[in-house]
């Protein structure tokens, strides 16, 4: 299923240019852009949460302790 969305002339030109450069459809370019935006937002939230943890001494200590335990498990494979 497809639908029509409104974009600025500039955005359309950018999508067309990228599609031509990659020899792909405009839809594929928009899909990739949405995937990239979702990934960026995920990792922004992820990094922000780690920053919050680092500011909380007790919570950060727990993270570091877990890493020590997990590091020992790395040698268990194979």
């Amino acid at each position: 299923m497809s639908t029509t969305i409104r974009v600025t002339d500039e955005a359309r030109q950018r999508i067309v240019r990228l599609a031509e450069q990659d020899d792909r459809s405009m839809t594929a370019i928009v899909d990739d852009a949405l995937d990239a935006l979702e990934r960026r937002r995920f990792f922004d939230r992820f990094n922000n949460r780690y920053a919050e943890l680092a500011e909380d001494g007790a919570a950060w200590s727990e993270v570091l302790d877990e890493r020590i335990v997990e590091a020992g498990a790395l040698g268990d494979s194979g």
Side-chain angles (χ1 to χ4, degrees):
M1 184 179 135
S2 66
T3 189
T4 301
I5 62 170
R6 291 180 187 259
V7 297
T8 63
D9 288 338
E10 179 185 347
R12 185 180 189 289
Q13 290 170 3
R14 291 169 64 194
I15 296 166
V16 167
R17 181 175 32 84
L18 290 167
E20 288 173 351
Q21 288 172 352
D22 292 352
D23 193 28
R24 299 173 67 217
S25 70
M26 291 173 55
T27 301
I29 297 300
V30 172
D31 287 344
D32 285 353
L34 291 171
D35 288 344
L37 177 59
E38 287 174 337
R39 258 190 318 278
R40 189 182 82 203
R41 286 185 174 181
F42 171 84
F43 282 107
D44 284 348
R45 286 190 301 270
F46 182 85
N47 289 330
N48 288 339
R49 183 60 184 128
Y50 258 95
E52 290 173 10
L53 282 172
E55 292 175 6
D56 180 338
W60 190 247
S61 180
E62 287 181 34
V63 169
L64 296 178
D65 290 343
E66 287 177 9
R67 287 182 180 173
I68 291 169
V69 171
E70 291 169 354
L74 292 175
D76 291 347
S77 63

